[in-house]
Amino acid sequence: MNTRTKSEGPMVLPRAFALLRLLAEETRGLNLSDISGRLDVPKSSLSSTLKALTEQMFLEREGALYTLGPEAYTLSAKILAGRSIRQVAQPYLKKTMEACEETVLLAVLDSDMRHATYIDCIESPKAVRFAVTVGTRRPLYANACGRLFLAHQSKEFRNEYFKEVKLVPVTEKTITEPDDMEALLTKIRTDGISITLGDYSHDAGGFAAPIFNSDGDLVAALTIEVPISRALRETERFKDAAIASANAISRLLGHTEEG
């Protein structure tokens, strides 16, 4: 008995974390057999872990199904409350830059509701790269992250926006007609990505994907900015990378597809 306890002891904590991660993804709950199969852990070994986590209210059991309990949500809320969106997102910005070797930015909607502001930037190591200063603001209608924020505002907000803001062309590709912009914003919401190819800067392409919180609110945008030649050559690659990274941050903030 002592030998088995010693061999299993170091596995208890990793098993508990794996269990919590699994149930965070399976919001409808799983039974013992499902959990055992997913984690590749014998039912007999799981029982004590499930019992302990349920007693501590990190899990709840209803019939045969286990789901996350109130203590799991309380702990996650306390952890996230002490971290800014920049702190939460930065590891993912770095990973995305390393994978793409292009500049990756984090943007938020400015308090004036007319601009997007870059609050973090991980620059590409390449000699020819996109560069921008943290704190730079961009008009919503003209660049990738700005259009993303505009797309997720209400119809009433956009109507008022188009009345107040003149859509001045920045390049020959900038959209300046409200009806054309509305059509594009609908596509952005449908596709889950905002792409510009020379719309704000002749020599740059942008790929902006939404970051949502647990309430389903758009709280930030992850943007990959690329010299136009590479943006045109590898559009699908940068599009997929931006969406995947933004989705990962959204999940960390508690967002689910159902939410």
Side-chain angles (χ1 to χ4, degrees):
M1 181 180 292
N2 289 340
T3 301
R4 189 174 72 177
T5 301
K6 287 180 181 179
S7 64
E8 289 185 355
M11 293 302 298
V12 172
L13 196 56
R15 184 182 300 151
F17 285 139
L19 177 55
L20 292 171
R21 282 194 294 269
L22 175 62
L23 291 177
E25 295 173 355
E26 297 291 343
T27 55
R28 293 184 178 85
L30 295 171
N31 61 33
L32 178 58
S33 296
D34 291 332
I35 296 170
S36 174
R38 297 283 193 91
L39 298 182
D40 194 23
V41 176
K43 294 180 185 178
S44 57
S45 300
L46 272 176
S47 296
S48 59
T49 304
L50 288 166
K51 183 175 184 294
L53 289 174
T54 302
E55 288 175 350
Q56 294 295 318
M57 299 179 70
F58 282 96
L59 298 183
E60 286 185 332
R61 181 178 179 180
E62 184 173 348
L65 294 180
Y66 290 90
T67 59
L68 290 184
E71 282 300 313
Y73 292 108
T74 299
L75 179 60
S76 64
K78 287 180 178 178
I79 292 171
L80 289 174
R83 303 179 70 195
S84 66
I85 182 64
R86 182 176 178 273
Q87 290 172 312
V88 171
Q90 192 169 71
Y92 293 90
L93 303 187
K94 290 179 179 177
K95 288 179 183 177
T96 307
M97 187 282 291
E98 290 167 358
C100 295
E101 293 191 314
E102 301 293 353
T103 297
V104 184
L105 301 154
L106 184 69
V108 296
L109 182 62
D110 198 81
S111 58
D112 71 356
M113 304 293 284
R114 296 294 181 263
H115 297 83
T117 300
Y118 296 125
I119 62 171
D120 204 357
C121 174
I122 308 296
E123 278 198 18
S124 165
K126 293 180 178 179
V128 179
R129 63 183 182 273
F130 180 88
V132 68
T133 304
V134 170
T136 297
R137 303 163 78 220
R138 295 284 190 252
L140 296 184
Y141 72 90
N143 82 329
C145 64
R147 289 174 179 175
L148 190 69
F149 288 117
L150 194 55
H152 286 271
Q153 301 304 312
S154 67
K155 177 65 174 174
E156 292 74 21
F157 175 94
R158 294 196 302 277
N159 287 340
E160 191 66 26
Y161 177 87
F162 293 134
K163 288 179 183 177
E164 294 182 2
V165 178
K166 187 175 181 180
L167 308 187
V168 179
V170 184
T171 73
E172 68 277 3
K173 294 193 67 177
T174 306
I175 294 175
T176 57
E177 291 298 326
D179 288 346
D180 294 337
M181 181 63 72
E182 269 296 331
L184 175 62
L185 298 179
T186 298
K187 178 174 171 51
I188 288 171
R189 288 192 298 274
T190 301
D191 295 347
I193 186 78
S194 174
I195 300 173
T196 54
L197 297 168
D199 301 57
Y200 187 83
S201 173
H202 291 99
D203 56 3
F207 302 82
I211 297 172
F212 299 104
N213 65 13
S214 59
D215 294 324
D217 299 323
L218 177 63
V219 294
L222 181 145
T223 306
I224 301 174
E225 290 284 352
V226 189
I228 192 66
S229 60
R230 299 200 292 265
L232 291 169
R233 188 168 61 244
E234 299 184 78
T235 299
E236 288 302 313
R237 177 190 174 209
F238 297 129
K239 170 186 170 182
D240 293 344
I243 291 173
S245 296
N247 285 347
I249 300 170
S250 296
R251 286 193 295 271
L252 192 61
L253 294 175
H255 179 69
T256 61
E257 290 299 320
E258 291 83 358

